[in-house]
Amino acid sequence: GEDPFGKNFLLQISNTPENVRKSRLNTIQEILQKAVPNLKNLSFQIDLAEGGVPHLETLCENWRPNSGRQREDQLSDGTLRLIALLWSILDGDEPLLLEEPELSLHPGLVRLIPRIFLSMRKRVKKKNKRQLIISTHSVDLLSGGGIQPDEVFFLSPEKEGTTVTSGMGADTKILFEAGIPLGELAISRSKPKNIDQLNLFP
């Protein structure tokens, strides 16, 4: 809509004290380097030629010998979302709700999201680290390891609200310990009751 390239997010970065901003971007770059190896030197710039507009810049290495720097409007949606999500983990100590962080990301990377978030959270030096609450429909996110059945909750729509139930049933625990990926267990349990009736359509 009115914020296609996350300018409000960039203003938030701009309003962060410089030493804190540099430290956070360096931490994000270190994590990002493992997830997106061709992105290097994540930095924050103010473009005076544009009247002081803030920008994120990164060096994107590719097949060209002299790869240039790219700004946020040249990065993929998934990369921008990942940068913003990682920043959010470092910014504040209140509980943080992340809705479908897997959007626009490769399934191989989605499987690493829980480990990436855990690694980022461990780097927070504050005593009170943010509690992360993640909503997802992704089998990959739940199957990559780092999540236990008792950390999963199911939200089921009802006529007058939503019911929240724990994912740690005795049967779930037995199957999980037997080696069935958590993602498969979660999807089989959360599948709509009558979805197989769609096969009746020609």
Side-chain angles (χ1 to χ4, degrees):
E2 310 217 348
D3 189 23
F5 300 119
K7 292 296 189 291
N8 290 335
F9 172 56
L10 293 175
L11 289 174
Q12 181 183 347
I13 295 177
S14 179
N15 292 331
T16 302
E18 184 176 1
N19 61 328
V20 176
R21 180 172 63 232
K22 284 185 176 180
S23 175
R24 288 181 184 175
L25 290 178
N26 286 340
T27 300
I28 292 171
Q29 170 61 53
E30 187 177 340
I31 298 291
L32 201 63
Q33 185 80 52
K34 298 174 183 177
V36 191
N38 63 325
L39 293 183
K40 296 183 178 180
N41 302 328
L42 180 66
S43 64
F44 176 82
Q45 306 291 334
I46 296 289
D47 193 330
L48 298 177
E50 294 181 356
V53 175
H55 290 287
L56 279 177
E57 288 189 353
T58 184
L59 180 64
C60 184
E61 293 185 338
N62 53 37
W63 54 272
R64 291 176 293 185
N66 297 313
S67 304
R69 297 189 66 81
Q70 293 187 346
R71 287 183 169 176
E72 72 282 344
D73 57 350
Q74 297 171 295
L75 299 176
S76 70
D77 290 346
T79 300
L80 286 175
R81 280 176 56 82
L82 188 55
I83 291 172
L85 291 170
L86 295 177
W87 178 277
S88 297
I89 294 172
L90 298 173
D91 186 36
D93 53 15
E94 308 88 356
L96 179 64
L97 173 61
L98 304 176
E99 294 191 69
E100 300 182 332
E102 69 272 10
L103 295 181
S104 303
L105 293 176
H106 187 279
L109 179 54
V110 170
R111 295 175 70 88
L112 299 177
I113 284 179
R115 298 179 187 276
I116 290 172
F117 286 176
L118 180 60
S119 176
M120 179 63 73
R121 193 169 175 272
K122 286 181 177 179
R123 293 165 187 260
V124 176
K125 297 179 181 178
K126 301 175 185 177
K127 182 178 180 181
N128 297 323
K129 300 184 180 183
R130 302 197 87 159
Q131 178 187 22
L132 302 182
I133 302 171
I134 300 171
S135 69
T136 184
H137 292 97
S138 172
V139 176
D140 293 306
L141 190 146
L142 292 169
S143 299
I147 301 177
Q148 298 299 313
D150 61 348
E151 295 179 296
V152 177
F153 293 84
F154 295 94
L155 281 69
S156 306
E158 305 290 346
K159 288 184 178 179
E160 308 229 354
T162 301
T163 300
V164 180
T165 55
S166 171
M168 175 58 96
D171 55 341
T172 304
K173 184 176 181 181
I174 292 172
L175 292 171
F176 179 71
E177 291 177 348
I180 307 258
L182 184 57
E184 291 183 23
L185 295 172
I187 291 302
S188 65
R189 178 172 168 179
S190 61
K191 182 175 71 171
K193 294 180 181 178
N194 300 319
I195 194 170
D196 291 334
Q197 292 184 3
L198 289 175
N199 290 329
L200 300 177
F201 286 94

